Short mmCIF file of all heavy atoms in Angstrom, two decimals:
data_model
loop_
_atom_site.label_atom_id
_atom_site.label_comp_id
_atom_site.label_asym_id
_atom_site.label_seq_id
_atom_site.Cartn_x
_atom_site.Cartn_y
_atom_site.Cartn_z
N ASP V 121 -1.59 22.84 4.32
CA ASP V 121 -1.38 23.92 5.27
C ASP V 121 -0.98 23.42 6.66
O ASP V 121 -1.43 23.92 7.68
CB ASP V 121 -2.63 24.79 5.38
CG ASP V 121 -3.05 25.41 4.06
OD1 ASP V 121 -2.17 25.77 3.28
OD2 ASP V 121 -4.27 25.51 3.82
N GLY V 122 -0.18 22.38 6.69
CA GLY V 122 0.32 21.82 7.97
C GLY V 122 -0.68 21.00 8.74
O GLY V 122 -0.41 20.53 9.83
N ILE V 123 -1.83 20.79 8.15
CA ILE V 123 -2.89 19.98 8.84
C ILE V 123 -3.02 18.64 8.09
O ILE V 123 -3.15 18.61 6.89
CB ILE V 123 -4.22 20.71 8.83
CG1 ILE V 123 -4.08 22.03 9.60
CG2 ILE V 123 -5.35 19.83 9.44
CD1 ILE V 123 -5.27 22.96 9.50
N ALA V 124 -3.00 17.54 8.86
CA ALA V 124 -3.07 16.24 8.31
C ALA V 124 -4.48 15.66 8.45
O ALA V 124 -5.10 15.76 9.49
CB ALA V 124 -2.05 15.28 9.00
N THR V 125 -4.96 15.07 7.37
CA THR V 125 -6.19 14.30 7.36
C THR V 125 -5.78 12.87 7.05
O THR V 125 -5.06 12.67 6.08
CB THR V 125 -7.17 14.82 6.29
OG1 THR V 125 -7.43 16.19 6.55
CG2 THR V 125 -8.47 14.00 6.29
N SER V 126 -6.25 11.89 7.84
CA SER V 126 -5.77 10.55 7.62
C SER V 126 -6.94 9.54 7.70
O SER V 126 -7.93 9.79 8.33
CB SER V 126 -4.68 10.17 8.63
OG SER V 126 -5.22 10.17 9.94
N PHE V 127 -6.72 8.43 7.00
CA PHE V 127 -7.64 7.28 7.09
C PHE V 127 -6.91 6.04 6.71
O PHE V 127 -5.87 6.08 6.02
CB PHE V 127 -8.90 7.52 6.22
CG PHE V 127 -8.61 7.58 4.74
CD1 PHE V 127 -8.70 6.44 3.97
CD2 PHE V 127 -8.32 8.78 4.11
CE1 PHE V 127 -8.46 6.46 2.59
CE2 PHE V 127 -8.08 8.83 2.75
CZ PHE V 127 -8.13 7.68 1.97
N ALA V 128 -7.47 4.92 7.14
CA ALA V 128 -6.90 3.63 6.76
C ALA V 128 -8.03 2.76 6.30
O ALA V 128 -9.14 2.75 6.86
CB ALA V 128 -6.20 2.97 7.96
N GLU V 129 -7.77 1.99 5.23
CA GLU V 129 -8.70 1.01 4.73
C GLU V 129 -8.18 -0.37 5.06
O GLU V 129 -6.96 -0.65 4.92
CB GLU V 129 -8.89 1.12 3.20
CG GLU V 129 -9.59 2.38 2.76
CD GLU V 129 -11.03 2.40 3.15
OE1 GLU V 129 -11.71 1.34 3.19
OE2 GLU V 129 -11.57 3.50 3.43
N LYS V 130 -9.10 -1.21 5.52
CA LYS V 130 -8.77 -2.58 5.93
C LYS V 130 -9.49 -3.57 5.01
O LYS V 130 -10.71 -3.47 4.89
CB LYS V 130 -9.20 -2.76 7.39
CG LYS V 130 -8.95 -4.13 7.97
CD LYS V 130 -9.47 -4.10 9.43
CE LYS V 130 -9.48 -5.50 9.98
NZ LYS V 130 -10.05 -5.50 11.36
N THR V 131 -8.74 -4.42 4.33
CA THR V 131 -9.30 -5.36 3.36
C THR V 131 -8.87 -6.77 3.72
O THR V 131 -7.67 -6.99 3.98
CB THR V 131 -8.87 -5.00 1.97
OG1 THR V 131 -9.23 -3.63 1.69
CG2 THR V 131 -9.54 -5.91 0.91
N SER V 132 -9.80 -7.75 3.72
CA SER V 132 -9.43 -9.13 3.95
C SER V 132 -9.25 -9.86 2.63
O SER V 132 -10.07 -9.69 1.70
CB SER V 132 -10.57 -9.85 4.74
OG SER V 132 -10.67 -9.25 6.05
N VAL V 133 -8.13 -10.58 2.52
CA VAL V 133 -7.83 -11.32 1.30
C VAL V 133 -7.61 -12.79 1.69
O VAL V 133 -6.82 -13.06 2.62
CB VAL V 133 -6.57 -10.77 0.61
CG1 VAL V 133 -6.25 -11.55 -0.65
CG2 VAL V 133 -6.71 -9.29 0.31
N THR V 134 -8.30 -13.70 1.03
CA THR V 134 -8.15 -15.14 1.24
C THR V 134 -7.45 -15.74 0.06
O THR V 134 -7.85 -15.49 -1.11
CB THR V 134 -9.51 -15.82 1.47
OG1 THR V 134 -10.16 -15.16 2.58
CG2 THR V 134 -9.34 -17.30 1.79
N PHE V 135 -6.41 -16.51 0.34
CA PHE V 135 -5.66 -17.22 -0.71
C PHE V 135 -6.18 -18.63 -0.82
O PHE V 135 -6.55 -19.25 0.16
CB PHE V 135 -4.17 -17.26 -0.39
CG PHE V 135 -3.35 -16.12 -0.84
CD1 PHE V 135 -3.89 -14.92 -1.22
CD2 PHE V 135 -1.98 -16.25 -0.95
CE1 PHE V 135 -3.12 -13.85 -1.65
CE2 PHE V 135 -1.17 -15.22 -1.39
CZ PHE V 135 -1.75 -14.02 -1.74
N TRP V 136 -6.13 -19.16 -2.04
CA TRP V 136 -6.31 -20.59 -2.24
C TRP V 136 -5.08 -21.28 -1.62
O TRP V 136 -4.03 -20.68 -1.49
CB TRP V 136 -6.29 -20.93 -3.76
CG TRP V 136 -7.53 -20.45 -4.47
CD1 TRP V 136 -7.65 -19.32 -5.20
CD2 TRP V 136 -8.78 -21.10 -4.54
NE1 TRP V 136 -8.91 -19.21 -5.75
CE2 TRP V 136 -9.63 -20.32 -5.34
CE3 TRP V 136 -9.26 -22.30 -4.00
CZ2 TRP V 136 -10.93 -20.70 -5.60
CZ3 TRP V 136 -10.58 -22.66 -4.28
CH2 TRP V 136 -11.40 -21.86 -5.07
N PRO V 137 -5.20 -22.57 -1.28
CA PRO V 137 -3.96 -23.30 -0.89
C PRO V 137 -3.02 -23.30 -2.09
O PRO V 137 -3.42 -23.56 -3.23
CB PRO V 137 -4.47 -24.72 -0.57
CG PRO V 137 -5.92 -24.53 -0.26
CD PRO V 137 -6.41 -23.38 -1.13
N LEU V 138 -1.77 -22.98 -1.84
CA LEU V 138 -0.78 -22.89 -2.92
C LEU V 138 0.17 -24.10 -2.90
O LEU V 138 0.60 -24.52 -1.83
CB LEU V 138 0.07 -21.62 -2.76
CG LEU V 138 -0.71 -20.31 -2.65
CD1 LEU V 138 0.25 -19.12 -2.44
CD2 LEU V 138 -1.56 -20.07 -3.91
N SER V 139 0.48 -24.61 -4.05
CA SER V 139 1.44 -25.69 -4.15
C SER V 139 2.84 -25.13 -4.01
O SER V 139 3.10 -23.99 -4.26
CB SER V 139 1.27 -26.44 -5.48
OG SER V 139 1.75 -25.60 -6.54
N GLU V 140 3.79 -25.98 -3.68
CA GLU V 140 5.17 -25.59 -3.61
C GLU V 140 5.67 -25.05 -4.96
O GLU V 140 6.46 -24.12 -5.04
CB GLU V 140 6.08 -26.72 -3.10
CG GLU V 140 6.18 -26.84 -1.61
CD GLU V 140 6.64 -25.51 -0.94
OE1 GLU V 140 7.69 -24.96 -1.32
OE2 GLU V 140 5.98 -25.06 0.01
N LYS V 141 5.18 -25.67 -6.04
CA LYS V 141 5.57 -25.23 -7.38
C LYS V 141 5.06 -23.79 -7.65
O LYS V 141 5.78 -22.97 -8.22
CB LYS V 141 5.07 -26.23 -8.47
CG LYS V 141 5.46 -25.77 -9.85
CD LYS V 141 5.26 -26.84 -10.88
CE LYS V 141 5.53 -26.44 -12.30
NZ LYS V 141 6.37 -25.35 -12.58
N GLU V 142 3.80 -23.54 -7.31
CA GLU V 142 3.27 -22.18 -7.49
C GLU V 142 4.09 -21.18 -6.72
O GLU V 142 4.43 -20.08 -7.23
CB GLU V 142 1.82 -22.12 -6.99
CG GLU V 142 0.79 -22.75 -7.91
CD GLU V 142 -0.59 -22.71 -7.26
OE1 GLU V 142 -0.78 -23.29 -6.19
OE2 GLU V 142 -1.45 -22.06 -7.86
N ILE V 143 4.40 -21.53 -5.47
CA ILE V 143 5.18 -20.62 -4.62
C ILE V 143 6.59 -20.37 -5.19
O ILE V 143 6.99 -19.26 -5.36
CB ILE V 143 5.26 -21.19 -3.17
CG1 ILE V 143 3.90 -21.10 -2.52
CG2 ILE V 143 6.33 -20.45 -2.35
CD1 ILE V 143 3.77 -21.84 -1.21
N SER V 144 7.29 -21.45 -5.53
CA SER V 144 8.66 -21.31 -6.03
C SER V 144 8.69 -20.61 -7.41
O SER V 144 9.56 -19.80 -7.67
CB SER V 144 9.39 -22.63 -6.06
OG SER V 144 8.78 -23.51 -6.94
N ASP V 145 7.74 -20.93 -8.24
CA ASP V 145 7.70 -20.30 -9.58
C ASP V 145 7.48 -18.76 -9.44
O ASP V 145 8.13 -17.95 -10.09
CB ASP V 145 6.61 -20.88 -10.46
CG ASP V 145 6.94 -22.25 -11.01
OD1 ASP V 145 8.09 -22.72 -10.81
OD2 ASP V 145 6.05 -22.87 -11.62
N TYR V 146 6.55 -18.39 -8.55
CA TYR V 146 6.26 -16.98 -8.39
C TYR V 146 7.40 -16.26 -7.67
O TYR V 146 7.79 -15.14 -8.04
CB TYR V 146 4.95 -16.77 -7.58
CG TYR V 146 4.49 -15.36 -7.48
CD1 TYR V 146 4.01 -14.68 -8.60
CD2 TYR V 146 4.52 -14.71 -6.25
CE1 TYR V 146 3.58 -13.33 -8.49
CE2 TYR V 146 4.08 -13.36 -6.15
CZ TYR V 146 3.63 -12.69 -7.27
OH TYR V 146 3.17 -11.39 -7.18
N ALA V 147 7.98 -16.89 -6.67
CA ALA V 147 9.12 -16.32 -5.94
C ALA V 147 10.33 -16.10 -6.86
O ALA V 147 11.17 -15.27 -6.57
CB ALA V 147 9.50 -17.16 -4.74
N ALA V 148 10.42 -16.87 -7.93
CA ALA V 148 11.52 -16.75 -8.85
C ALA V 148 11.36 -15.57 -9.84
O ALA V 148 12.26 -15.22 -10.58
CB ALA V 148 11.70 -18.06 -9.65
N THR V 149 10.16 -14.96 -9.83
CA THR V 149 9.94 -13.81 -10.72
C THR V 149 10.37 -12.51 -9.96
O THR V 149 10.67 -12.58 -8.78
CB THR V 149 8.43 -13.68 -11.11
OG1 THR V 149 7.68 -13.30 -9.96
CG2 THR V 149 7.93 -14.97 -11.71
N GLU V 150 10.28 -11.38 -10.63
CA GLU V 150 10.59 -10.11 -9.98
C GLU V 150 9.40 -9.54 -9.24
O GLU V 150 9.57 -8.62 -8.46
CB GLU V 150 11.04 -9.09 -11.07
CG GLU V 150 12.38 -9.41 -11.68
CD GLU V 150 13.50 -9.42 -10.67
OE1 GLU V 150 13.58 -8.49 -9.84
OE2 GLU V 150 14.28 -10.36 -10.68
#
Side-chain angles (χ1 to χ4, degrees):
D121 300 325
I123 298 169
T125 302
S126 64
F127 65 93
E129 290 293 326
K130 179 180 170 183
T131 305
S132 296
V133 179
T134 303
F135 271 19
W136 290 97
L138 306 177
S139 70
E140 273 304 310
K141 180 167 176 22
E142 285 176 297
I143 290 169
S144 63
D145 286 354
Y146 186 69
T149 70
E150 292 299 313

